[in-house]
Amino acid sequence: MNKIVSLCKRRGFIFQSSEIYGGLANTWDYGPYGVELKNNLKRAWWKAVVNDRDDIFGMDAAILMHPKVWEASGHISSFKDKYRDCLVCKKRIKSDDPRWNPKKPNWCPECGHDGIGLTDIRDFNLMLKTTLGALEIQGIDTYLRPETAQGMFVNFLNILDSRHPKLPFGLAQIGKAFRNEVTPGNFTFRTREFEQMEIEYFVEPKDADKFHEYWVKERFDWYTGLGLKKENLRKRQHPKDELAHYAKACTDIEYNFPFGWSELEGIANRADFDLRQHEEYSSKELKYFDDAAGEKFYPYIIEPSGGIDRSVLAFLADAYYEEKVKDDLRTVLKLDKNLAPTKVAVLPLLKNRPQIVELARKIAQDLKKCFITVYDDTASIGKLYRRQDEVGTLYCVTVDVQSLEDKQATVRDRDTMKQERVSIDRLKEHLSDKLSN
Ligand code: ATP
């Protein structure tokens, strides 16, 4: 984990938020490579669940919502974590922390002190409150959304009226969510501000089990399709006592993070809880009318809910390799070609030869029109290769003295490190073939 955190900082993927002020716990900023990786991941998800399908509509709902939404959803009354506080080290221990020992109730798993004690279990609401309006006194209290899901439930009627979909159909959105997390974050695994990618898939109640299974498989395959190793992923079905009171079933897709197996995405069968609740609190009917059967009913909802930041971390961890090359150690991020932040780097072999630099710059400009391409001449070729390997660049195009004569450049493959000479006027075609293969 330390190696990944260090690579992220060194190469500009992820930085501690407000670092020059000492940082802010559990909040992180994405740097130049991090934002590209994150955007690529979002694009891949959007394409798979919205653009490539006919039954899912994309959405982008507001972060701020009417305060009643959070009453209806049950977040105000029950979106709480339960903790014991250690009176010695002041650390907070989750009530379900597996290290806590009921036979030694005063033993703190954080500092190991046994005797002075832990407090009784206390509730902490995870919602971040904010005030709308110019004056705090007159303002209305509401919350930064702790999940994107509610923005889709409250638009159910708008979608029925504007798009007239037939069941089964879904809504999908990517967006920020906020939770006042108080336990340690494991880098970007648990943060206070994070992005979710969520689908709300509306189905006939009788089809709910079938679609729950379908989405668990679909989402599992999406991760492996983008390169996560199968052996680092597993499905975990929630036992009855772990389910939310309204949920009929929930399966987590877990990833074997460097700190252990943990949730990457949850796929829940939420039954008709959300539509019923919002109907009750808004007094707007939220039933679906089935023309063929001539009846109204509440559809069930299957919800695949994943985290972008957790996924970025999983893809980084999975792609991280250290390989011995002659007497050197190369660090390489073997990210899938759809996720790699940079596709091509153009590197001049001799930066003090103006003709080589000019040709390399021209090639880079030209390739930029087709692929995310960078130009770099700030170090020796060995160092430049290592640098590009560390950020997962798929191909390096090197321009040398020979290139001036034979009009060819060397294309180096990130994973195999094999090099081949390619005619400069065929570079675009050559790289396109490789990238679309
Ligand atoms: P956990 O049990 O780890 O707190 P959760 O079950 O509360 O997660 P959900 O409410 O199901 O999480 O949210 C759906 C997804 O959103 C999670 O699978 C995760 O990928 C992401 N997520 C939730 N909370 C956080 C967070 N604090 N930081 C980063 N990602 C998060």
Side-chain angles (χ1 to χ4, degrees):
M1 193 64 187
N2 286 342
K3 285 181 176 177
I4 291 164
V5 177
S6 146
L7 172 79
C8 282
K9 180 169 163 63
R10 186 170 74 246
R11 288 289 172 227
F13 279 89
I14 302 172
F15 308 119
Q16 169 81 69
S17 160
S18 319
E19 192 175 359
I20 59 167
Y21 288 98
L24 182 67
N26 294 347
T27 49
W28 300 91
D29 297 338
Y30 287 79
Y33 286 113
V35 69
E36 295 289 349
L37 171 56
K38 207 177 178 193
N39 284 340
N40 290 343
L41 194 82
K42 292 193 228 179
R43 263 193 288 270
W45 183 84
W46 193 263
K47 179 166 163 22
V49 309
V50 181
N51 300 147
D52 288 354
R53 304 180 61 113
D54 294 326
D55 57 346
I56 299 193
F57 304 99
M59 278 208 51
D60 183 17
I63 288 174
L64 296 172
M65 301 183 77
H66 194 291
K68 277 213 145 178
V69 167
W70 307 114
E71 280 179 47
S73 67
H75 279 88
I76 291 183
S77 58
S78 56
F79 195 52
K80 292 170 181 160
D81 266 352
K82 295 180 183 305
Y83 294 97
R84 298 179 175 88
D85 282 342
C86 173
L87 296 170
V88 178
C89 68
K90 310 288 180 216
K91 291 260 170 62
R92 215 148 250 180
I93 295 105
K94 265 193 161 177
S95 64
D96 57 0
D97 189 316
R99 297 171 303 168
W100 184 73
N101 183 348
K103 290 192 189 129
K104 291 204 294 177
N106 283 321
W107 174 77
C108 168
E110 285 292 337
C111 67
H113 210 279
D114 189 9
I116 294 188
L118 304 172
T119 61
D120 286 340
I121 291 176
R122 295 192 288 193
D123 284 344
F124 288 86
N125 196 303
L126 289 169
M127 304 251 280
L128 280 156
K129 210 179 222 176
T130 189
T131 306
L132 304 178
L135 286 177
E136 274 194 24
I137 289 175
Q138 297 168 352
I140 308 168
D141 280 345
T142 188
Y143 300 88
L144 300 181
R145 66 180 177 200
E147 60 179 28
T148 66
Q150 301 301 325
M152 293 184 271
F153 302 143
V154 301
N155 275 294
F156 177 69
L157 209 51
N158 284 332
I159 298 296
L160 285 187
D161 291 345
S162 60
R163 304 301 306 259
H164 313 290
K166 295 269 175 273
L167 292 180
F169 73 90
L171 298 176
Q173 78 168 336
I174 292 176
K176 290 256 177 177
F178 302 82
R179 296 183 189 177
N180 205 1
E181 303 277 6
V182 289
T183 47
N186 276 327
F187 196 32
T188 52
F189 177 81
R190 187 177 300 289
T191 54
R192 293 200 164 113
E193 177 181 340
F194 55 96
E195 273 183 289
Q196 290 186 310
M197 42 186 179
E198 292 196 296
I199 303 167
E200 306 303 333
Y201 200 71
F202 301 91
V203 302
E204 284 190 41
K206 67 174 172 49
D207 295 336
D209 291 344
K210 180 179 83 183
F211 280 113
H212 184 242
E213 224 172 275
Y214 164 83
W215 277 109
V216 171
K217 178 174 183 326
E218 197 69 12
R219 296 301 305 138
F220 191 94
D221 291 350
W222 182 78
Y223 289 106
T224 55
L226 281 175
L228 282 195
K229 295 181 200 77
K230 266 206 178 105
E231 63 267 27
N232 284 337
L233 281 172
R234 72 179 185 194
K235 299 167 194 165
R236 188 181 70 84
Q237 217 171 335
H238 286 210
K240 279 249 159 10
D241 62 355
E242 209 185 306
L243 288 175
H245 65 91
Y246 51 82
K248 291 264 189 273
C250 188
T251 301
D252 285 347
I253 295 176
E254 296 187 334
Y255 179 73
N256 190 10
F257 285 95
F259 45 84
W261 288 97
S262 302
E263 176 180 335
L264 196 54
E265 170 157 351
I267 297 108
N269 173 355
R270 301 178 64 100
D272 54 7
F273 173 77
D274 307 282
L275 294 177
R276 279 184 189 276
Q277 286 294 107
H278 285 302
E279 179 171 295
E280 184 186 331
Y281 280 74
S282 68
S283 306
K284 296 276 185 313
E285 191 182 66
L286 297 179
K287 287 199 186 98
Y288 171 84
F289 181 69
D290 185 335
D291 290 329
E295 59 175 17
K296 279 184 187 172
F297 60 90
Y298 298 104
Y300 272 25
I301 296 176
I302 308 300
E303 179 190 71
S305 170
I308 303 273
D309 310 77
R310 278 188 196 178
S311 297
V312 166
L313 185 57
F315 279 104
L316 283 170
D318 220 68
Y320 186 96
Y321 286 82
E322 283 176 356
E323 291 174 351
K324 204 153 188 284
V325 181
K326 292 180 192 145
D327 293 334
D328 206 6
L329 194 68
R330 86 162 178 148
T331 301
V332 53
L333 277 187
K334 295 189 179 175
L335 289 165
D336 180 87
K337 60 178 192 254
N338 291 296
L339 298 183
T342 308
K343 311 301 177 202
V344 185
V346 182
L347 316 168
L349 198 63
L350 297 166
K351 69 170 180 184
N352 47 10
R353 286 283 296 267
Q355 284 163 299
I356 294 181
V357 168
E358 195 186 328
L359 178 59
R361 281 194 184 279
K362 190 171 160 294
I363 292 172
Q365 275 311 317
D366 200 33
L367 293 180
K368 262 183 200 293
K369 291 174 200 152
C370 300
F371 326 102
I372 298 187
T373 303
V374 295
Y375 169 87
D376 193 1
D377 66 8
T378 56
S380 67
I381 193 69
K383 277 205 179 127
L384 292 178
Y385 280 154
R386 295 288 170 269
R387 212 181 263 174
Q388 295 303 328
D389 286 344
E390 281 199 344
V391 299
T393 303
L394 292 158
Y395 299 101
C396 288
V397 174
T398 310
V399 181
D400 53 24
V401 182
Q402 179 100 23
S403 306
L404 299 174
E405 284 157 26
D406 65 7
K407 308 283 183 263
Q408 293 187 343
T410 304
V411 177
R412 172 188 178 271
D413 181 292
R414 176 197 68 191
D415 298 342
T416 62
M417 290 190 292
K418 283 208 177 111
Q419 305 192 354
E420 52 186 328
R421 292 292 280 182
V422 177
S423 157
I424 291 169
D425 57 13
R426 277 205 62 249
L427 269 176
K428 250 194 230 166
E429 204 183 315
H430 178 84
L431 292 166
S432 277
D433 280 352
K434 290 206 167 257
L435 286 164
S436 59
N437 189 344

